[in-house]
Amino acid sequence: MSRGYFLPEDGNSLFPSFYYKIIKGFEPFPEFPKKVQVETKSGCNAKCLFCPSGKENTRIPHGTMEWNLYKKIIDECVKHPVRRISPYLSNEPLLDREIGKKIKYITLNKKDSTYTKINTNASLLDEEMALSLFDSGLDKISISFHGITKESYEKSMRGLNFKKNLENVKRFVKLKREKNLKKPNIRITMIHTSVVDKELDEIRKFWHQLRLKVDVRALENRVNEKVLTAKLNLKKWERLKNCRRLMEQAYISYNGDVILCCVDWERTTVLGNLKEQSLEEIWNSKKYMEIRKKYINGDIKDTICGKCFIQDEKDFIME
């Protein structure tokens, strides 16, 4: 398996540290995650073809994170050199109508080197929510918009309305420009599937006319058999090998559970709970380290990493 970091046990003397840092070009494993995702309210209002939402094999409980727990998590994160804090996970963040207030709490307490980002399907991005996000100090927003026709969009993003959501995005962009705001940076994102493949040039042209950049991302199965067999891939599935999520990112469920990965939709690997421990303790725990060591050694047979496939790894963008 690919690795970009060396673990503490690898660099506990001068020569191994020199070897991994200078010869191999690896970074020392960070003592605190570089990126943190926090699910403030679980659930999603869409059932997209390329997403495990609604396709889980087990029933996952839903809820909203308690404010005291949320503040505890953010208060710990802002003490460290965290690059990004994202108040969402495998959910639609705008389902939480207090999301602007929660982002503002991060904005008021974070270091300048830390930025905030959310990814939304824009179905709930009405004017009230737009104004709340502008006031929150949100740095970046990625808008998931798959397809440029009603047919392709509603086939990809089942349960959503093409016309309504397109107007939501246009209004958001218009309001930001009318207010002469620098933030948030707005990007359009989509997964490269067989449904949108022939529209990609038209998609880019449309959004570029609105002066928006478009990220087209590689299709992942996200550890879900139904996504794997949905015939959305244009190329042969390959195992995802160059992933650094285990080494860089922490994923926190609404109830305080720290889970292994953003693709662990069924919460198969819970590493601890933030009502009982700090994130730093869980991040550096023996259980977490053992999983990382196994991944580096290619021993992924009995982990969710062994079920993770991607359409084209060179287009992989880690979130």
Side-chain angles (χ1 to χ4, degrees):
M1 305 297 289
S2 174
R3 63 188 292 183
Y5 293 91
F6 61 90
L7 299 177
E9 61 189 59
D10 296 328
N12 57 10
S13 64
L14 183 61
F15 178 73
S17 293
F18 176 83
Y19 172 76
Y20 284 115
K21 290 177 72 173
I22 308 301
I23 306 299
K24 300 292 287 184
F26 293 162
E27 298 177 51
F29 172 74
E31 296 179 356
F32 199 83
K34 293 183 176 182
K35 302 173 184 177
V36 179
Q37 288 189 226
V38 185
E39 182 181 60
T40 69
K41 183 181 178 68
S42 62
C44 186
N45 57 343
K47 304 296 178 190
C48 299
L49 285 177
F50 48 82
C51 181
S53 179
K55 305 179 182 69
E56 301 96 332
N57 293 322
T58 58
R59 186 172 179 80
I60 306 300
H62 290 288
T64 302
M65 180 173 282
E66 299 167 0
W67 256 102
N68 286 343
L69 176 59
Y70 178 78
K71 288 180 178 179
K72 175 181 184 288
I73 293 166
I74 301 306
D75 289 348
E76 180 181 5
C77 289
V78 297
K79 294 177 182 177
H80 297 269
V82 176
R83 187 184 307 159
R84 168 168 63 84
I85 303 175
S86 288
Y88 78 98
L89 184 51
S90 52
N91 61 311
E92 166 49 52
L94 304 192
L95 283 170
D96 184 350
R97 298 305 288 183
E98 289 193 318
I99 191 67
K101 182 179 176 182
K102 290 171 181 174
I103 294 168
K104 191 165 188 175
Y105 186 80
I106 305 172
T107 302
L108 293 173
N109 291 282
K110 71 179 181 65
K111 297 178 174 65
D112 290 341
S113 57
T114 302
Y115 69 91
T116 52
K117 176 182 178 292
I118 60 170
N119 194 321
T120 174
N121 60 37
S123 61
L124 301 169
L125 191 56
D126 53 30
E127 186 166 348
E128 180 184 0
M129 178 60 75
L131 296 175
S132 176
L133 292 178
F134 293 148
D135 181 63
S136 74
L138 176 68
D139 292 298
K140 298 183 180 183
I141 183 168
S142 290
I143 297 175
S144 184
F145 209 96
H146 300 258
I148 205 58
T149 64
K150 176 180 172 66
E151 181 183 15
S152 60
Y153 178 89
E154 294 185 2
K155 181 177 181 180
S156 295
M157 307 187 75
R158 292 180 300 177
L160 301 185
N161 183 289
F162 171 74
K163 183 178 179 180
K164 173 197 166 191
N165 295 347
L166 182 57
E167 289 305 312
N168 282 352
V169 179
K170 287 181 176 179
R171 181 179 56 245
F172 187 71
V173 173
K174 183 171 180 281
L175 283 169
K176 181 193 169 189
R177 289 173 182 163
E178 286 177 348
K179 293 178 175 296
N180 197 29
L181 298 173
K182 292 184 178 180
K183 299 190 297 185
N185 175 270
I186 306 169
R187 281 188 182 242
I188 302 298
T189 65
M190 68 195 62
I191 306 297
H192 192 179
T193 68
S194 56
V195 180
V196 302
D197 179 61
K198 293 181 180 179
E199 296 182 355
L200 289 181
D201 288 341
E202 186 181 353
I203 286 168
R204 290 189 177 99
K205 182 180 178 181
F206 176 84
W207 292 112
H208 287 172
Q209 288 174 345
L210 290 177
R211 291 178 283 156
L212 295 180
K213 293 185 177 180
V214 179
D215 285 338
V216 181
R217 305 185 173 206
L219 173 66
E220 296 177 62
N221 75 311
R222 305 194 204 179
V223 196
N224 188 277
E225 185 66 26
K226 291 180 182 178
V227 175
L228 198 64
T229 58
K231 298 182 180 179
L232 296 171
N233 54 308
L234 296 153
K235 298 181 180 180
K236 185 179 179 181
W237 287 107
E238 56 185 85
R239 194 178 298 282
L240 179 55
K241 301 182 295 296
N242 295 304
C243 181
R244 305 203 297 180
R245 288 168 174 151
L246 277 172
M247 307 294 180
E248 294 186 1
Q249 299 192 192
Y251 305 96
I252 304 166
S253 181
Y254 77 94
N255 64 354
D257 283 344
V258 177
I259 60 174
L260 186 64
C261 185
C262 56
V263 305
D264 193 1
W265 283 71
E266 298 184 2
R267 310 304 196 245
T268 64
T269 311
V270 177
L271 300 153
N273 187 280
L274 294 174
K275 292 179 182 179
E276 303 160 359
Q277 296 172 275
S278 69
L279 181 54
E280 185 174 14
E281 288 171 335
I282 296 171
W283 180 252
N284 293 285
S285 66
K286 182 178 179 181
K287 182 178 180 180
Y288 219 153
M289 286 298 187
E290 283 297 318
I291 293 172
R292 293 184 182 108
K293 186 176 180 181
K294 283 186 174 184
Y295 182 82
I296 286 173
N297 293 331
D299 183 11
I300 60 174
K301 182 174 60 176
D302 298 320
T303 70
I304 62 169
C305 300
K307 301 175 184 177
C308 204
F309 292 86
I310 194 167
Q311 179 175 254
D312 194 343
E313 193 160 24
K314 69 179 176 60
D315 293 328
F316 175 57
I317 299 176
M318 192 177 76
E319 274 285 85

